[in-house]
Amino acid sequence: MLHDPVPELSARATEALESEFRTLPEFKAEPGTSAEEMAAVLEETAHRLGDNYPYFHPLYAGQMLKPPHPVARTAYALAMKINPNNHARDGGRASSAMEVEAVREIAGMSGWTEYLGHLTSSGTFANLEALWMAGQLAPGRRIVGSEQAHYTHQRISAVLKLEYTAVAADGAGRMRLDALEDELRKGDVGAVVVTMGTTALGAVDPLGEILALRERYGFRVHVDAAYGGYFTLIAESLDEAARRGYAAIGHADSIVIDPHKHGLQPFGCGCVLFRDPAVGRYYKHDSPYTYFTSKELHLGEISLECSRAGAAAVALWATQRLLPLTKDGAFAEGLRKGRRAALELDRRLRGDERFVGLGSCVPGSLNARDPGHLPCAPELDIIVWGVRAADFQKASEQARNVFDACARRGLHLALVQLPGSWFGGRGGAQNEGTLTCLRSVLMKPEHEAWIGRIWDHLSAACDEVVNG
């Protein structure tokens, strides 16, 4: 492991924080246990935490797990000395102000200066608020999203007693416009969920074209950019279709972005934004107690959640103070590095006969190569590929075996199941249903420098499996 600067940073910052309260009378905290007892429990805790994949390391290239920046970790721990609650100004005076400032910068990525927004405990809850608002504005109307949208949208809709319909995606994981319009013609759609960075593939739905349909059919557009929201900063580095989508993001009605994904934050930290500040009227309440010694609007008046960790806002504010959300800054360059790593892995996969990608098979076989080999380049920084084999069953088995062989070498990937039709899956029972594929999320800036070693481990693992 690399040297961790957090303990030294934390000690200096803690000293500075304590000096802010130096006028208070001294007192002795009473933890109720001895230092030796606490040390023993923490040592046991450290051993238990060792039973994890090394999410912080570049050789972990599986799920959407990115280590928080040292400044974020330090700021979070510093805030926990006070443990603020950002539900109300009284519970988190400084951290509430820091949340407002941090959210303003996130909204600015989409060009919004007038909006309503706040942090949440997760992207799931941020999406819940957005769909709840859609239900308030169009009661009883359906929510529609791609079949590749995050599964929580269907679950959230059920909680909200709103009907949800999944529409078909194309072979690159993007929402099909023809399938969407079939649903819109029925006249009962209240909101369309547009995903900017799907969980499986990092696919970007065609937002611009969906906004054009909004002009014809009249519905709210909610952009779930929990994963891909920060790519707005480097849209010029993306392919044309994705660039068009990001160029239109400011015309959505609501947006969700997760700072605990690409934003270098600890879990959990989501953010929901509404383009029209007037939707705040749906949050109004008349609680008679606790939160009204301050006349300023508190965040609990524009949020469905009550208690929320003020420490999350402090960590986000500090990170953005160090790494502003600008197109030419160090934060954006970190995104570009992950993007370049994904493109390099894509290039290597394209040139290798052992692997197969979306749409690359002749009907009825995963064993034949055609000119369409790996035609779908990654739109963001997620790569998905299969292992070439005689049929889906064998290819899925081989993918799982390669996954295990990579892990034995210290390289940790992920597995994903995708529709067989995306791989030319026709012509027999053995090529129906889903195909298990390998998946890699190259979201750490360090992945660019490590892509050669990642490839070596993957190649050796594949040789072990294929050649026995």
Side-chain angles (χ1 to χ4, degrees):
M1 291 178 64
L2 294 175
H3 168 69
D4 188 353
V6 168
E8 180 181 350
L9 293 172
S10 181
R12 291 171 57 185
T14 298
E15 183 179 350
L17 175 61
E18 289 175 349
S19 72
E20 293 292 319
F21 297 94
R22 60 183 176 272
T23 59
L24 291 172
E26 288 191 18
F27 77 104
K28 183 178 180 180
E30 298 182 7
T33 56
S34 68
E36 291 77 11
E37 289 173 310
M38 289 190 286
V41 169
L42 289 174
E43 185 175 348
E44 182 183 0
T45 302
H47 286 306
R48 291 295 298 271
L49 287 173
D51 184 23
N52 269 308
Y53 294 114
Y55 305 123
F56 55 87
H57 197 278
L59 284 177
Y60 185 83
Q63 303 293 351
M64 297 171 172
L65 294 164
K66 190 172 186 173
H69 193 279
V71 162
R73 288 192 285 144
T74 304
Y76 196 103
L78 189 66
M80 290 306 295
K81 294 279 288 185
I82 297 173
N83 196 23
N85 177 358
N86 272 23
H87 176 57
R89 293 273 178 173
D90 290 5
R93 189 164 61 183
S95 54
S96 291
M98 295 164 95
E99 176 172 339
V100 170
E101 293 171 29
V103 170
R104 182 184 303 134
E105 191 170 2
I106 292 175
M109 290 195 299
S110 302
W112 288 2
T113 56
E114 296 290 329
Y115 61 91
L116 188 78
H118 59 88
L119 300 181
T120 65
S121 59
S122 67
T124 298
F125 208 98
N127 278 309
L128 184 147
E129 290 207 26
L131 297 191
W132 171 76
M133 187 61 69
Q136 296 297 304
L137 293 166
R141 297 174 74 84
R142 282 189 297 151
I143 308 295
V144 171
S146 162
E147 64 183 359
Q148 287 296 303
H150 200 276
Y151 67 87
T152 54
H153 290 290
Q154 184 166 2
R155 184 179 292 176
I156 288 166
S157 297
V159 169
L160 297 172
K161 306 300 183 185
L162 297 172
E163 184 179 352
Y164 181 88
T165 303
V167 301
D170 64 20
R174 309 180 194 102
M175 185 186 295
R176 277 177 40 190
L177 293 170
D178 60 336
L180 172 61
E181 192 161 12
D182 286 344
E183 297 300 327
L184 295 175
R185 289 192 187 100
K186 297 175 183 178
D188 62 344
V189 173
V192 174
V193 176
V194 180
T195 306
M196 307 291 277
T198 61
T199 302
L201 301 175
V204 177
D205 283 341
L207 175 59
E209 291 84 346
I210 294 170
L211 289 167
L213 290 173
R214 181 179 67 178
E215 298 302 310
R216 293 170 53 190
Y217 292 99
F219 52 86
R220 285 182 67 80
V221 171
H222 169 55
V223 169
D224 180 3
Y227 186 76
Y230 286 99
F231 283 87
T232 304
L233 296 174
I234 64 163
E236 81 288 345
S237 302
L238 307 179
D239 292 340
E240 182 182 355
R243 283 201 306 271
R244 289 200 307 269
Y246 281 100
I249 198 169
H251 298 288
D253 296 294
S254 55
I255 303 172
V256 160
I257 295 176
D258 268 8
H260 65 220
K261 291 192 171 73
H262 281 100
L264 301 170
Q265 297 307 294
F267 287 101
C269 184
C271 180
V272 61
L273 301 163
F274 298 99
R275 183 159 55 100
D276 180 9
V279 301
R281 66 188 184 275
Y282 290 100
Y283 286 101
K284 284 182 178 285
H285 63 84
D286 55 0
S287 173
Y289 55 86
T290 306
Y291 301 121
F292 297 98
T293 60
S294 169
K295 294 182 179 179
E296 295 181 77
L297 178 72
H298 62 73
L299 293 166
E301 292 178 290
I302 57 167
S303 170
L304 289 182
E305 289 181 280
C306 291
S307 297
R308 290 185 300 111
V314 174
L316 181 61
W317 181 90
T319 307
Q320 292 177 184
R321 187 78 167 176
L322 180 70
L323 301 170
L325 304 181
T326 58
K327 294 179 182 295
D328 58 353
F331 179 86
E333 181 57 22
L335 297 175
R336 291 188 184 93
K337 287 182 177 181
R339 168 77 177 151
R340 290 194 295 262
L343 292 175
E344 174 59 18
L345 179 57
D346 175 69
R347 184 190 70 78
R348 295 183 186 217
L349 289 166
R350 285 174 184 272
D352 198 304
E353 294 277 357
R354 296 170 295 179
F355 305 115
V356 63
L358 306 185
S360 61
C361 310
V362 297
S365 174
L366 275 175
N367 201 30
R369 181 184 173 99
D370 73 358
H373 180 60
L374 231 67
C376 301
E379 292 202 275
L380 301 179
D381 56 10
I382 298 176
I383 307 285
V384 172
W385 69 99
V387 179
R388 194 174 297 279
D391 55 54
F392 281 12
Q393 181 178 347
K394 183 64 174 177
S396 295
E397 178 185 345
Q398 295 283 61
R400 289 189 287 268
N401 290 338
V402 169
F403 172 84
D404 291 335
C406 282
R408 288 193 294 271
R409 288 168 169 79
L411 172 63
H412 301 282
L413 303 174
L415 295 170
V416 62
Q417 290 190 328
L418 296 176
S421 60
W422 292 6
F423 293 81
R426 297 179 296 279
Q430 289 180 307
N431 286 326
E432 293 179 353
T434 60
L435 177 70
T436 300
C437 297
L438 293 158
R439 171 175 169 272
S440 186
V441 179
L442 299 174
M443 66 191 305
K444 302 182 184 75
E446 297 83 3
H447 277 140
E448 183 178 25
W450 280 71
I451 200 67
R453 192 174 301 188
I454 289 171
W455 176 260
D456 290 343
H457 287 331
L458 171 61
S459 183
C462 190
D463 283 346
E464 175 192 326
V465 170
V466 173
N467 299 326

